[in-house]
Amino acid sequence: MTATVVWSERLLGYDLGDHPLDPVRVDLTMRLARDLGLLDRPSVEVVAPEPATEAELLRVHRQDYLDAVRAAPDDPFFRGYGLNTPDNPVFDGMHEASALVCGATLAAARAVWSGRARRAVNVAGGLHHAMPARAAGFCVYDDPAVAIADLLAGGAERIAYIDIDVHHGDGVQEIFYDDPRVLTVSLHESPLTLFPGTGFAEETGGPKAEGSAVNVPLPPATGDAGWLRAFHAVVPAVVRAFRPQLIVLQAGADSHRLDPLANLRLTVDGQRAAQLAVRDLADELCAGRLVATGGGGYALVEVVPRTWTHLLAMVTGEPLDPATPLPASWREYAAARLPGRAVPTTLTDGGDVAFTPWQPDGTDPLDRAIMAARRAVYPLHGLDPHDPRD
């Protein structure tokens, strides 16, 4: 089994100052993966990306928006299209850097769809908030959507997109809301308490694609056990009913209890368990075909490098033992890159990933959220929302 890791240091080639989306998180991830030997596994092919072309971007984004992204860095007073805001500041080479991230996710998707790789990953990707003509939530171009649109153009008929970022995957959902070929599944903190304010259970797809959007909004403070109960209560049955040919995973790390921008309480161990659950679905339903990206995650040293190193291990072969100590070389590098931050010593938080399976008589806020999601979407797939076997 060949696994493709799409990577080049050119993916770090942008500067957002003190903005939360600091490329140091990707740098530290890839350095940790390298120091642990993941990129030297015999099954791994490391591929350098090329920027997405204008034609590839136009499968998702509007021409006037591409023109605005190119023009905005040269105009300090630029306004419109969601650009030049605190969330989405302009920067030199913005179009080129954003197109390269899209090109990296395109390369991963094409490697899997062509059969060259069973799994592939671009940890710099997962920018799921960008809309066809608007930047949002730190995202300029929507690389998962661009890759999915490319797969559809290449003949794919059923793609499942599973988003485990703490924020709703609103851009990808919006872009494919009326397309029955794409199932978008998002588990996220409740839109009542967190950006972008969408992702209610009742959002189930447009008139031409009812049931193609699945949303599981979780109460703030949900931890590993609750998150995993919700995932297993909703996601596997719907994805099985959809019968995807390929799964795209957006593996944002901002559901962690240390993330400064959100309110869920997962550990690295819980995030690892979530990644493996998605891999298991790919193995069961679509011959293992899985394309993974990064996403959100703003605990730059404490969390993101460990979570995405687990992601890289999962994609490229056997998962890493959570008790694996972090190499001294990496800990020294991390301390030098971000002085004063707490540098972890192992790949685990010591989290407990056991959970109680969902039952329909639950009355706490989490179980009510699970039932709301099941009631909204299960009947559209011929499933019984009240039967825990579905």
Side-chain angles (χ1 to χ4, degrees):
M1 189 278 289
T2 299
T4 295
V5 176
V6 186
W7 170 243
S8 165
E9 291 196 358
R10 290 189 299 156
L11 289 163
L12 305 175
Y14 60 94
D15 182 5
L16 297 179
D18 59 358
H19 190 276
L21 197 74
D22 191 326
V24 71
R25 67 200 188 122
V26 178
D27 178 33
L28 290 174
T29 297
M30 296 308 297
R31 178 65 67 105
L32 180 55
R34 185 178 296 113
D35 287 359
L36 288 170
L38 296 182
L39 304 186
D40 298 323
R41 287 177 163 178
S43 60
V44 173
E45 170 193 41
V46 180
V47 173
E50 293 298 326
T53 66
E54 184 159 297
E56 290 161 348
L57 294 171
L58 286 172
R59 290 197 177 111
V60 165
H61 296 289
R62 284 187 352 207
Q63 182 68 62
D64 57 325
Y65 179 59
L66 300 189
D67 295 342
V69 172
R70 288 189 176 99
D74 297 325
D75 180 358
F77 303 106
F78 187 93
R79 291 293 182 272
Y81 298 95
L83 297 168
N84 209 9
T85 66
D87 272 6
N88 302 289
V90 299
F91 56 95
D92 290 340
M94 181 166 61
H95 167 77
E96 292 77 11
S98 302
L100 186 62
V101 172
C102 282
T105 304
L106 276 171
R110 288 171 176 171
V112 174
W113 186 244
S114 69
R116 192 173 78 247
R118 186 180 182 195
R119 307 183 194 114
V121 59
N122 167 30
V123 294
L127 304 180
H128 59 167
H129 295 306
M131 297 290 180
R134 178 168 54 86
F138 313 159
C139 306
V140 177
Y141 295 149
D142 197 315
D143 63 286
V146 169
I148 291 169
D150 184 77
L151 292 169
L152 297 174
E157 297 175 346
R158 296 183 309 281
I159 298 171
Y161 169 79
I162 301 177
D163 191 316
I164 60 175
D165 194 287
V166 78
H167 301 92
H168 177 227
D170 58 335
V172 182
Q173 176 180 290
E174 175 69 20
I175 289 160
F176 298 109
Y177 203 62
D178 242 356
D179 193 331
R181 298 172 297 174
V182 182
L183 177 74
T184 61
V185 181
S186 181
L187 288 87
H188 47 268
E189 184 180 333
S190 170
L192 296 175
T193 57
L194 193 67
F195 175 90
T198 57
F200 291 95
E202 294 76 17
E203 298 169 29
T204 59
K208 300 177 183 177
E210 291 183 353
S212 68
V214 181
N215 287 291
V216 188
L218 302 170
T222 298
D224 292 337
W227 195 102
L228 291 165
R229 180 161 81 248
F231 178 94
H232 288 283
V234 177
V235 178
V238 173
V239 177
R240 289 180 184 123
F242 182 71
R243 297 180 297 109
Q245 297 164 295
L246 179 148
I247 293 176
V248 177
L249 167 64
Q250 198 272 18
D254 43 7
S255 59
H256 195 275
R257 63 193 182 193
L258 295 182
D259 195 88
L261 301 185
N263 309 292
L264 295 189
R265 293 291 180 266
L266 273 68
T267 66
V268 166
D269 307 270
Q271 294 175 327
R272 175 182 180 272
Q275 297 165 7
L276 290 172
V278 176
R279 190 183 82 167
D280 288 346
L281 282 174
D283 288 347
E284 174 191 345
L285 300 172
C286 43
R289 287 186 290 269
L290 177 66
V291 177
T293 70
Y298 310 102
L300 304 175
V301 175
E302 303 87 346
V303 175
V304 177
R306 293 186 296 153
T307 296
W308 289 352
T309 293
H310 281 303
L311 180 69
L312 284 156
M314 177 270 285
V315 167
T316 58
E318 288 302 312
L320 288 172
D321 184 339
T324 301
L326 302 188
S329 57
W330 182 83
R331 297 185 66 226
E332 291 167 5
Y333 182 75
R337 289 286 275 124
L338 288 174
R341 303 293 283 266
V343 179
T345 59
T346 72
L347 280 174
T348 184
D349 286 332
D352 182 357
V353 298
F355 66 94
T356 302
W358 175 81
Q359 292 295 323
D361 55 356
T363 59
D364 68 16
L366 175 66
D367 287 330
R368 290 200 301 269
I370 291 170
M371 180 55 88
R374 290 172 62 104
R375 282 176 174 161
V377 78
Y378 264 41
L380 300 173
H381 290 272
L383 301 169
D384 183 349
H386 300 280
D387 188 341
R389 295 171 297 178
D390 278 355

